[in-house]
Amino acid sequence: MKRILFLCACCVSMLSMAQSDAEVLKKIYDNSLTNGQSYQWLDYLSNQIGGRLSGSLNAERAVQWTKEELEKVGLDKVWLQPVMVPKWVRGTPEFAYIETAPGKTTNVNICALGGSVATPALGIKANVIEVQGIEDLKLLGREKIEGKIVFFNRPMDATQINTFKAYGGCVDQRGTGAKEAGEYGAVAAIVRSLNLRLDDFPHTGAMNYGDTPVSERIPSAAISTNDAELLSTMLKLNSEIKFYFRQHCKQLKDVLSHNVIGEITGSEFPDEYIVVGGHLDSWDLGDGSHDDGAGIVQSMDVLRLLKKSGVKPKRSIRVVLFMNEENGMRGGNKYAEVAKRKSENHIFALESDSGGFTPRGFSFDCNDANFNQVLSWKSLFKPYLIHFFEQGGSGADIGPLKNKNIVLAGLRPDTQRYFDYHHAANDTFDAINKRELELGAATMTALVYLYDKYGVQPINTKPVFKN
Ligand SMILES: [Zn+2]
């Protein structure tokens, strides 16, 4: 009897616990949807500051402005963490055309890839060899590549529902295509933009030359998907056509920049840290609204929403706006390095860096036992149509915090439209939906609330389900 009563008491207390969590989540979502700050913040960051390439004046303006805004939220601490970042500049806009006969040209849309060297001042004109990937270079050999522009034209796989997988299947062309092509004597590399739809926007992104000596580096640019199709068609009609382009980009010396950090100090366990963040830098073509302005303002709003919803965190909650994710990862590495040096016990970190679209759930980088704890909270998210809880992947900036104890997570919004904008001139504020952005901020806040309340308590049973 005693045992039954005890069990009943447990059930009742679990029920009331669950109810009160459900109530808190409701409050968080209501607050975000009626009094959210993320959209107004993003309006300023995108429209008043704009693109924030590492080392640029705009990146520093973004550092100062986000620091001031976090101070207005009334956090316990706000500070800047110094970090040296690379400074790459695009220079005068690029120019390119396809030449089918002397004087007969069609202009095409290109942009230099981040980290690329410039062409000679007067540009490069050469024949083109189209490939479907780096592995094709070996098959063709130096004889067919030397003196030509290599055109990497493998498209993203449209059948992948997870568009990040489609991106992952092609990004090597952008990252190391020029380095590899250069080794076969190519004079330049042109890469099909990483975009699932056909349009006129070229998409930039990081590339690197590895250990290739500076004097042997060849320039590399992205071409819009429409123009990639055009170039490919023209090559089929006449393999002797020429491609001309010029770009004036430059790698300068590293400069001082900052991660921006705000903290609500925990009331019971101030030495246990929970991090929520995104990256403050962006590419320079658009204003970086989706990548990753959305993640920045959502992360800032997590701390504000906790306060507005009456949550007094037991653990220390930090928002970290990481600098230089796009072309160096210096901010993420610096934060983890300092945390390690100070022996700070980070238990949970959440990143939003997949666009400001309708949230679907989270991915987790943690062990099975810790993942079971997350699954035990899944039903709390059901009213908000948050259903995707899976292991695998979190976020680039929080990755360096990984150890065997921490749980890392990434917000997973719907990504079907993400690569329409990613790293391109149309990644601008008008592509953001207010309600979708606010739902993302609320969803992040809800998970941070649960981790703050319960800590990381591994549940040692087999996963309830796993895909
Ligand atoms: Zn990003």
Side-chain angles (χ1 to χ4, degrees):
M1 185 64 184
K2 248 187 187 169
R3 209 164 163 192
I4 291 170
L5 279 175
F6 175 73
L7 279 173
C8 284
C10 279
C11 289
V12 168
S13 82
M14 273 175 77
L15 202 66
S16 65
M17 206 160 69
Q19 270 175 352
S20 91
D21 285 340
E23 281 164 13
V24 174
L25 261 62
K26 173 93 174 88
K27 215 181 260 180
I28 289 169
Y29 275 89
D30 288 355
N31 263 326
S32 189
L33 292 168
T34 56
N35 291 302
Q37 186 66 40
S38 51
Y39 192 71
Q40 287 93 314
W41 271 332
L42 190 56
D43 187 0
Y44 191 93
L45 185 65
S46 299
N47 290 323
Q48 301 303 317
I49 296 178
R52 306 168 292 282
L53 192 53
S54 287
S56 67
L57 186 60
N58 272 4
E60 285 324 290
R61 288 176 66 205
V63 165
Q64 293 306 329
W65 177 75
T66 48
K67 177 175 177 274
E68 281 162 25
E69 291 302 308
L70 285 174
E71 279 162 354
K72 287 184 204 162
V73 171
L75 306 179
D76 296 312
K77 288 184 220 167
V78 178
W79 73 101
L80 300 183
Q81 183 174 64
V83 56
M84 295 300 288
V85 297
K87 183 177 170 86
W88 177 84
V89 293
R90 185 171 300 281
T92 316
E94 303 81 348
F95 177 68
Y97 59 74
I98 300 166
E99 187 181 81
T100 46
K104 252 189 118 181
T105 62
T106 307
N107 290 2
V108 291
N109 297 294
I110 66 152
C111 66
L113 291 179
S116 175
V117 295
T119 57
L122 294 178
I124 285 179
K125 184 153 76 172
N127 288 115
V128 181
I129 178 110
E130 177 177 339
V131 297
Q132 291 297 302
I134 289 166
E135 47 297 342
D136 284 0
L137 299 172
K138 205 174 176 184
L139 299 173
L140 289 165
R142 178 169 273 269
E143 200 186 312
K144 294 202 171 115
I145 295 172
E146 195 159 30
K148 290 184 184 155
I149 293 171
V150 171
F151 169 37
F152 290 94
N153 194 29
R154 182 167 78 253
M156 285 171 73
D157 178 0
T159 67
Q160 294 282 0
I161 301 305
N162 178 351
T163 60
F164 276 86
K165 272 199 182 148
Y167 178 72
C170 285
V171 74
D172 63 331
Q173 298 182 118
R174 187 191 80 202
T176 58
K179 173 188 162 46
E180 302 286 340
E183 284 169 15
Y184 288 89
V187 293
I190 297 293
V191 182
R192 183 190 181 97
S193 285
L194 293 168
N195 178 2
L196 277 156
R197 75 177 178 185
L198 293 175
D199 65 26
D200 295 328
F201 294 101
H203 294 227
T204 191
M207 58 84 63
N208 72 77
Y209 294 104
D211 53 6
T212 306
V214 176
S215 61
E216 290 169 29
R217 295 178 179 183
I218 63 169
S220 186
I223 186 169
S224 75
T225 46
N226 270 341
D227 290 329
E229 295 284 299
L230 179 72
L231 178 57
S232 183
T233 306
M234 284 177 149
L235 280 168
K236 282 186 187 81
L237 295 170
N238 177 5
S239 62
E240 291 306 307
I241 59 168
K242 293 198 159 133
F243 191 89
Y244 168 86
F245 77 111
R246 63 171 187 254
Q247 57 190 31
H248 307 275
C249 42
K250 221 188 243 175
Q251 191 76 49
L252 304 172
K253 274 195 192 131
D254 288 3
V255 297
L256 179 66
S257 188
H258 300 88
N259 290 330
V260 183
I261 307 173
E263 180 182 299
I264 300 174
T265 305
S267 57
E268 279 181 49
F269 312 108
D271 296 336
E272 285 189 23
Y273 294 95
I274 290 174
V275 161
V276 58
H279 63 86
L280 192 50
D281 65 307
S282 75
W283 285 105
D284 55 331
L285 298 173
D287 60 40
S289 281
H290 276 295
D291 187 13
D292 183 26
I296 287 298
V297 296
Q298 287 172 326
S299 299
M300 289 165 69
D301 220 16
V302 167
L303 277 70
R304 198 192 64 90
L305 285 169
L306 285 173
K307 283 175 80 85
K308 291 280 168 204
S309 307
V311 176
K312 291 204 169 41
K314 295 198 247 180
R315 296 168 166 86
S316 292
I317 318 280
R318 278 187 188 163
V319 53
V320 184
L321 313 181
F322 297 95
M323 184 50 71
N324 186 229
E325 187 270 351
E326 295 292 3
N327 58 338
M329 275 291 302
R330 303 275 185 89
N333 286 325
K334 175 60 77 179
Y335 182 81
E337 177 196 313
V338 173
K340 201 172 172 192
R341 196 170 63 226
K342 292 187 173 174
S343 302
E344 289 173 345
N345 179 22
H346 283 68
I347 63 158
F348 174 61
L350 170 62
E351 181 155 358
S352 167
D353 182 19
S354 303
F357 302 97
T358 306
R360 302 294 193 207
F362 305 92
S363 61
F364 295 87
D365 182 356
C366 64
N367 61 39
D368 285 353
N370 288 342
F371 185 58
N372 281 330
Q373 179 185 26
V374 171
L375 293 181
S376 75
W377 298 330
K378 203 180 163 188
S379 61
L380 284 167
F381 288 90
K382 210 174 164 202
Y384 312 101
L385 308 181
I386 303 299
H387 61 271
F388 181 91
F389 290 77
E390 287 193 10
Q391 277 174 291
S394 57
D397 299 287
I398 58 173
L401 285 170
K402 189 168 169 65
N403 63 42
K404 64 179 183 352
N405 300 318
I406 193 170
V407 174
L408 301 175
L411 179 71
R412 292 289 159 245
D414 187 301
T415 58
Q416 299 314 312
R417 285 177 287 139
Y418 186 53
F419 291 96
D420 295 357
Y421 307 109
H422 186 247
H423 299 179
N426 59 338
D427 182 4
T428 46
F429 186 65
D430 57 297
I432 298 282
N433 176 284
K434 181 173 185 283
R435 196 169 165 83
E436 292 179 2
L437 185 75
E438 291 167 346
L439 283 169
T443 303
M444 293 167 73
T445 310
L447 188 64
V448 167
Y449 158 74
L450 290 166
Y451 268 108
D452 174 62
K453 182 166 176 184
Y454 298 107
V456 174
Q457 293 170 352
I459 300 178
N460 289 309
T461 52
K462 284 219 159 95
V464 179
F465 68 87
K466 231 172 142 184
N467 292 328

